[in-house]
Amino acid sequence: MRKLAALTALTIIATTGVAAAQEVTLRAVTSFAEKTTYSRGFERFIERVNEAGKGSIRINYIGGPKAMPPFEVGNALKNGVVEIANVTGAFYTNLMPEADAWKLRQMTMAELRKNGGFDYMAGIYAQKMNAIFLANLVGDNPFHLYLNKKITSPDLTGLKLRITPVYRDFFQAMGATVVQTAPGEVYTALERGVVDGYGWPITGIFDLGWHEKTKYRVDPGFYTAEVSVLINKASWEKLTPQQKAILQKAAEEGEKEAIADFAKANAEDTERQSKAGIEALSFDAAGSKRYLDQAYEAGWAGITRQSAEHGPKLRGFFAKSN
Ligand code: 173
């Protein structure tokens, strides 16, 4: 009897011991300011994981650019300094130039997951980023050029513009001078007149007050923004199938939801920009076509210049017509 009691006690200790050891906590950062447009989807993802994962998996949200500079997030994820990241490809082109090609996709994420484009990219993430790509939390969401000087044709000669790698090849092809900054430096650059404009998607310019320093938006928009949840490969491989499923379900829901969420946000922010007095500049039909053709031409040329191996293959998966 004493023996049985001892055995039972041991079993309880062993069982609870194992249960405690299985609860995993993952450190997460976002490369956009907390609670702003491009962090919101990630914050919802974290809530979902922490709700569904109680006692099994928990994401410890460390924060945004105050905790880590946006252009360092990719490296921190690769090295396992952080285990989960919300980040766009343009912020880690130093490690994986191909990641910037997401902006050129003319297929939905669902189509890319079917046509092999997603798996092809996933292979590069595993190899160059030591990462698993979980989901893109942005739907269709075009970039624009915002200006404080008027233009009447797609000629940016004499203009100095704030960029990230997203816009570099395109704006330079139109004659602009460019300067790369993190989003956190855009307001001051505009305020001081260091730049005549900046690249940014249609949504989010109100988050950090840039509308106060913006006169014009150039239409049409070009490309589509991507901000994705990545997980360090070694951290992923340590998870149980059940823990992986919790992450995958939250990621899948976020990627699907993003389509309607961004369609709505695109319309709302376009309206809000107009109400804030930001004037839309556009070209004649031939000018618009030239603008868009040049955007994609310069974009793909840039990717292929940096990755002769993968650029043309990615174009085959991502482009509607070459
Ligand atoms: O302009 C940027 O900082 C940028 O590259 C980007 C990418 C995705 C979403 C928002 C901004």
Side-chain angles (χ1 to χ4, degrees), residues 76-289:
L77 190 274
K78 180 179 179 180
N79 297 335
V81 169
V82 299
E83 295 157 293
I84 294 198
N86 180 60
V87 63
T88 184
F91 292 178
Y92 50 90
T93 52
N94 53 325
L95 303 170
M96 178 181 164
E98 298 86 353
D100 191 32
W102 285 119
K103 72 188 179 191
L104 299 167
R105 73 174 170 93
Q106 292 171 309
M107 305 282 181
T108 64
M109 290 304 293
E111 284 168 333
L112 290 177
R113 282 179 189 271
K114 281 198 199 106
N115 81 357
F118 183 90
D119 290 340
Y120 192 88
M121 268 296 222
I124 312 175
Y125 273 86
Q127 189 200 342
K128 297 195 174 184
M129 288 294 292
N130 189 30
I132 307 289
F133 185 103
L134 286 177
N136 174 7
L137 299 181
V138 181
D140 186 24
N141 183 235
F143 292 96
H144 284 262
L145 166 60
Y146 296 87
L147 288 175
N148 283 324
K149 287 181 182 163
K150 216 165 187 161
I151 57 166
T152 53
S153 73
D155 179 0
L156 307 181
T157 309
L159 296 176
K160 189 168 176 187
L161 303 174
R162 173 272 173 187
I163 57 139
T164 66
V166 164
Y167 327 92
R168 181 186 296 276
D169 295 298
F170 178 34
F171 290 178
Q172 281 182 333
M174 292 187 288
T177 300
V178 297
V179 49
Q180 175 161 310
T181 83
E185 291 156 40
V186 172
Y187 188 94
T188 310
L190 290 167
E191 190 174 39
R192 294 188 183 157
V194 171
V195 295
D196 302 306
Y198 56 96
W200 192 261
I202 188 67
T203 51
I205 72 157
F206 296 92
D207 288 338
L208 302 175
W210 303 345
H211 61 291
E212 294 166 7
K213 305 288 170 195
T214 304
K215 291 198 180 117
Y216 308 109
R217 183 192 69 243
V218 176
D219 287 348
F222 52 91
Y223 308 156
T224 190
E226 164 271 332
V227 181
S228 302
V229 186
L230 310 181
I231 178 164
N232 175 276
K233 203 158 162 283
S235 308
W236 175 256
E237 282 161 3
K238 280 186 217 140
L239 300 177
T240 64
Q242 183 233 4
Q243 290 164 334
K244 287 178 182 172
I246 290 168
L247 290 175
Q248 265 164 336
K249 183 162 183 283
E252 193 182 305
E253 285 171 359
E255 191 170 282
K256 285 204 178 118
E257 239 170 53
I259 296 165
D261 285 355
F262 273 89
K264 186 162 170 273
N266 293 348
E268 283 170 358
D269 265 34
T270 305
E271 175 70 18
R272 198 171 162 200
Q273 286 184 20
S274 156
K275 286 200 176 121
I278 296 172
E279 189 187 329
L281 303 177
S282 52
F283 313 122
D284 58 20
S288 293
K289 184 177 183 316

Side-chain angles (χ1 to χ4, degrees), residues 15-26 49-50 52-59 83 238-240 242-243:
T15 313
T16 51
V18 167
Q22 276 179 345
E23 182 169 290
V24 171
T25 300
L26 301 167
V49 170
N50 287 353
K54 276 182 185 155
S56 166
I57 182 167
R58 197 174 70 80
I59 297 179
E83 295 157 293
K238 280 186 217 140
L239 300 177
T240 64
Q242 183 233 4
Q243 290 164 334

